[in-house]
Amino acid sequence: MTAPLSHPAKPAALRYVKQSPLKRALTNYPGVISIGIFVTVVAMVFSLVTENFFSVSNLLTILRQAAPLCIVAVTMTFVITTGGIDLSVGSVGAVSGVLAASLMSSYGVPVLPAIAISLAWAPW
């Protein structure tokens, strides 16, 4: 009579240790978690210190100011994921803004022509 076959134990490197989702997130993404905690603490402090922080008008103002940045971020995400990595949008925007401001302040060019010139210059 033969003894039953026993399965050898797997090496430690091949064992899968099931972790809770919270522990996995804390282990894999500590930077993102710490930023989230910081933003939450700052929001709580400002909501306690000022009475207008969580008002509808303040939240709408924040959304209006963040909208252009969100639009650029989403479009840059599409560019990066499709493989056409070009991260010069920020620098081109900054130089175009400086060019328009210089045209208006130093040369007296009106606002709309200065913007048109800076936008025409941007692709170069």
Side-chain angles (χ1 to χ4, degrees):
M1 186 152 180
T2 60
L5 295 174
S6 63
H7 297 289
K10 293 182 180 178
L14 297 178
R15 286 188 201 143
Y16 176 73
V17 178
K18 188 170 183 174
Q19 293 180 342
S20 69
L22 179 62
K23 185 173 183 179
R24 194 173 1 171
L26 289 173
T27 305
N28 295 338
Y29 308 106
V32 175
I33 300 293
S34 63
I35 291 171
I37 291 171
F38 175 75
V39 168
T40 304
V41 168
V42 168
M44 289 184 346
V45 167
F46 278 120
S47 67
L48 294 174
V49 173
T50 63
E51 57 191 48
N52 294 330
F53 185 73
F54 277 129
S55 67
V56 173
S57 65
N58 188 39
L59 293 175
L60 286 175
T61 302
I62 291 170
L63 287 174
R64 281 188 204 112
Q65 291 178 353
L69 181 63
C70 291
I71 291 169
V72 171
V74 168
T75 55
M76 288 305 295
T77 301
F78 289 138
V79 169
I80 291 170
T81 55
T82 58
I85 298 176
D86 181 16
L87 301 178
S88 64
V89 172
S91 59
V92 169
V95 171
S96 296
V98 169
L99 177 63
S102 297
L103 288 172
M104 289 185 283
S105 65
S106 299
Y107 300 104
V109 177
V111 175
L112 291 178
I115 292 173
I117 292 169
S118 67
L119 289 176
W121 173 86
W124 303 104

